[in-house]
Amino acid sequence: MKKKVFATFLATALTVTSIVGCGSSTSTPAPATDGGDTQKAEATDTTEAADTTEAADTAESTDTAEATETTDAAAGTGKQTDGKNLPTLTTEPLTITLWDIATEDPGKTTQEGAVQRFMADYPNITVEQVHQQNDTYKQQLVVAMSSGQAPDMYMHWGGGPMAEYYKSGFANDITEMYAKYDHPEFIDAAVAQSTYDGKLLAIPFGGLSGCDIYYNKTIFAEQGIEVPQTIDDLEAACAKLKDAGYIPFALANASKWTGSMYYMYLVARHSGNAEFDAAYTQENGGSFTSPAFIFAAEKIQDWVKKGYFPDGVNSLTADDNQDRALMYDGSAAMMLHGSWQSSGMKADNADWYTENIGVFRFPEDAEAKAAGVPQDVEIGTAIGNGFSFNCFKEDGSVDQEKLDACYVLATQYYNDETYNNDQVSVGSIPSIKGYGAETVDDPNDKYVADVFFNASNVQLWYDQYLPASVTEVHKNCMTELFGLEKTPEEIGQEQDEAMKKAIAEN
């Protein structure tokens, strides 16, 4: 029977993948934008990813008879899925509930378009698409699962929570379907981030997302500030901006994960991935009180005391773009954020964006670099978002008709040519072979993509990588950190306790 009780849900330590960047991949097939070959990020846990894709290749080559059978029924219907090796969908009325966080354009229009194209091809199937607010999405999803009201198809960011949804009985294992039926040729890292314990649990659809510092070129030029190359340079720029009456960093930390990006980057620049990996396992002296974590927390609290963040930083919210608003009105000069901000700012005011906004990677720790610490670890994701499916009957068995429909919607409409071209048009890069940095025109998006593809490692956001119970503690620690409520040591100890508990409960 499917588990419906969440007494211990979101309290398990999980092993998930981080990403390294290397090599190039041949595009098959090439997209309509003629992007050519793409650089790809590959997962450190390449064994699971390779097993999944190898199984897919083998099954696809041996299932031609079944392919003919499944596509014959759809012949002549004029669907965009005609002629493909896909499950034959029911002709009876069917309703799918779908949750996402596409509350604003351009993502809202793009995602609604995918649903409309699907329903036009399959008019007997109704997709009830619900757009949820990002900041409360995880909690709403858990509440829905706990009360037996979980959606049939829901987005997430991969990582620890995805695995916990599966272990708690709310995500279908789609490994066999992925091996049997047509799907986009996702880059290996996206497959790996959608996989847990050798099982494929999600279909990527959001594209690659890097994390860099957006800055106002006009303000920098006015103040004679060069793009910072080191953390020392960054601090000097902040001091000069503060003296000139500007807020150095636009940050809305009521969302908590936004402040975590500063913490993550300072840890990564001071120690690469070594100290985070050790803290994650809590082995061989690994701890969130190790030197890199103390360095990061002390640096942030020093910046808070110097006024480098907005007043009331913990009360400002990212969901309604209060951080971006500080950039728009000229109050703030920089904003560390995900690459989706490019499309958001362009949608708000393309001319202002083009004239004023540039981007640079988080500066290096010169002292750590001199000691041999790699400085090319970046923060982000190869999956962007993924869809998992909660298609089960009351007795716990798989609702195959509903699962088939969800699989076709996710693979063939959220990842079709229209959807991907919409993504590229706003600077996003789909997690599909054949799309690369050369497919985007915006110089800021191109810069972010180049940084992403040239990274030695792309660390998945802590709030997605950590076990969900630890994530909540970590996010609360970011409130305490920026609010100067606890010391760096106390914040590290809180995270250690949560991590140890999660490991013990696994």
Side-chain angles (χ1 to χ4, degrees):
M1 292 291 292
K2 216 174 128 179
K3 290 185 283 184
K4 294 290 183 183
V5 179
F6 272 59
T8 59
F9 183 68
L10 305 182
T12 308
L14 303 162
T15 303
V16 292
T17 58
S18 55
I19 315 159
V20 287
C22 69
S24 63
S25 167
T26 304
S27 62
T28 51
T33 50
D34 195 24
D37 292 349
T38 180
Q39 296 284 42
K40 67 179 181 181
E42 297 178 335
T44 53
D45 189 356
T46 54
T47 302
E48 288 187 358
D51 288 345
T52 305
T53 50
E54 182 177 343
D57 291 340
T58 302
E60 286 175 357
S61 64
T62 58
D63 281 336
T64 54
E66 291 185 61
T68 301
E69 179 182 345
T70 56
T71 54
D72 278 347
T77 62
K79 300 179 178 68
Q80 69 179 54
T81 51
D82 286 355
K84 292 188 177 181
N85 174 21
L86 294 167
T88 301
L89 303 192
T90 180
T91 57
E92 297 298 317
L94 178 69
T95 298
I96 296 169
T97 56
L98 181 158
W99 283 17
D100 60 38
I101 57 167
T103 57
E104 64 177 61
D105 281 330
K108 185 172 183 288
T109 297
T110 298
Q111 295 190 36
E112 288 178 353
V115 170
Q116 293 301 319
R117 289 192 299 280
F118 173 80
M119 289 196 296
D121 278 353
Y122 299 94
N124 61 299
I125 303 177
T126 299
V127 180
E128 296 180 348
Q129 185 174 21
V130 180
H131 304 305
Q132 302 280 10
Q133 285 292 326
N134 175 54
D135 282 352
T136 58
Y137 177 76
K138 285 184 185 177
Q139 293 91 330
Q140 290 174 319
L141 187 58
V142 171
V143 169
M145 290 175 174
S146 300
S147 62
Q149 301 297 315
D152 303 311
M153 178 173 173
Y154 57 91
M155 65 74 59
H156 55 70
W157 296 267
M162 177 190 72
E164 289 174 355
Y165 301 148
Y166 168 73
K167 291 167 71 173
S168 297
F170 295 95
N172 295 95
D173 177 358
I174 56 173
T175 309
E176 291 185 6
M177 292 186 74
Y178 191 82
K180 180 176 181 179
Y181 297 120
D182 283 354
H183 53 76
E185 191 176 1
F186 296 109
I187 62 173
D188 292 346
V191 175
Q193 277 194 311
S194 304
T195 300
Y196 168 71
D197 194 27
K199 301 175 179 66
L200 188 74
L201 303 179
I203 298 297
F205 72 95
L208 310 175
S209 295
C211 179
D212 294 277
I213 296 179
Y214 289 88
Y215 73 104
N216 189 309
K217 297 181 292 187
T218 305
I219 294 176
F220 268 47
E222 168 199 296
Q223 296 299 315
I225 298 172
E226 299 290 333
V227 170
Q229 301 300 310
T230 67
I231 292 174
D232 288 342
D233 293 342
L234 182 63
E235 291 183 304
C238 286
K240 192 166 186 178
L241 290 164
K242 179 66 177 175
D243 288 344
Y246 295 104
I247 302 167
F249 295 114
L251 172 63
N253 199 45
S255 307
K256 302 179 182 180
W257 57 267
T258 44
S260 176
M261 292 187 283
Y262 291 84
Y263 186 71
M264 290 178 67
Y265 258 127
L266 288 165
V267 170
R269 292 294 181 258
H270 202 66
S271 68
N273 271 99
E275 290 187 33
F276 173 74
D277 290 344
Y280 186 86
T281 63
Q282 293 284 299
E283 295 177 351
N284 302 316
S287 170
F288 287 97
T289 62
S290 67
F293 290 100
I294 299 301
F295 167 81
E298 287 180 343
K299 189 68 71 178
I300 287 170
Q301 292 197 328
D302 179 53
W303 292 353
V304 171
K305 292 172 184 176
K306 289 178 176 176
Y308 293 171
F309 299 103
D311 291 338
V313 64
N314 281 343
S315 64
L316 302 177
T317 57
D319 254 6
D320 53 6
N321 300 315
Q322 291 184 347
D323 42 10
R324 198 191 297 171
L326 294 171
M327 298 288 286
Y328 290 162
D329 68 14
S331 298
M334 295 180 286
M335 180 176 67
L336 175 64
H337 226 299
S339 54
W340 55 85
Q341 289 293 335
S342 293
S343 60
M345 285 189 277
K346 279 185 284 190
D348 288 342
N349 191 327
D351 291 340
W352 179 89
Y353 169 82
T354 301
E355 181 180 353
N356 292 286
I357 297 300
V359 67
F360 60 91
R361 66 189 293 266
F362 198 92
E364 298 180 347
D365 183 330
E367 186 175 337
K369 182 178 183 179
V373 175
Q375 296 295 303
D376 53 358
V377 173
E378 305 299 330
I379 307 302
T381 176
I383 184 178
N385 300 136
F387 274 126
S388 283
F389 312 126
N390 174 48
C391 299
F392 298 97
K393 299 178 180 178
E394 286 300 318
D395 63 0
S397 62
V398 174
D399 186 335
Q400 195 62 50
E401 285 188 351
K402 188 170 285 188
L403 181 58
D404 287 346
C406 288
Y407 179 87
V408 171
L409 172 56
T411 60
Q412 304 302 313
Y413 293 84
Y414 269 84
N415 284 284
D416 65 6
E417 183 176 294
T418 299
Y419 186 90
N420 289 328
N421 287 343
D422 284 349
Q423 292 279 84
V424 169
S425 72
V426 296
S428 296
I429 300 177
S431 305
I432 298 172
K433 295 177 182 179
Y435 293 89
E438 66 276 11
T439 66
V440 297
D441 297 323
D442 183 336
N444 290 335
D445 292 330
K446 189 178 293 291
Y447 178 91
V448 171
D450 284 339
V451 168
F452 189 101
F453 290 132
N454 288 313
S456 66
N457 181 286
V458 178
Q459 172 62 55
L460 184 62
W461 325 96
Y462 284 3
D463 64 310
Q464 303 307 327
Y465 190 97
L466 292 166
S469 59
V470 184
T471 290
E472 292 309 305
V473 173
H474 167 71
K475 292 199 297 184
N476 289 336
C477 283
M478 294 303 99
T479 298
E480 296 165 345
L481 178 63
F482 283 85
L484 306 179
E485 298 170 20
K486 291 190 177 179
T487 67
E489 290 79 9
E490 289 171 333
I491 287 166
Q493 289 164 4
E494 277 190 78
Q495 295 175 97
D496 277 342
E497 290 171 8
M499 196 74 234
K500 288 174 182 176
K501 182 179 179 182
I503 291 171
E505 291 175 348
N506 184 31

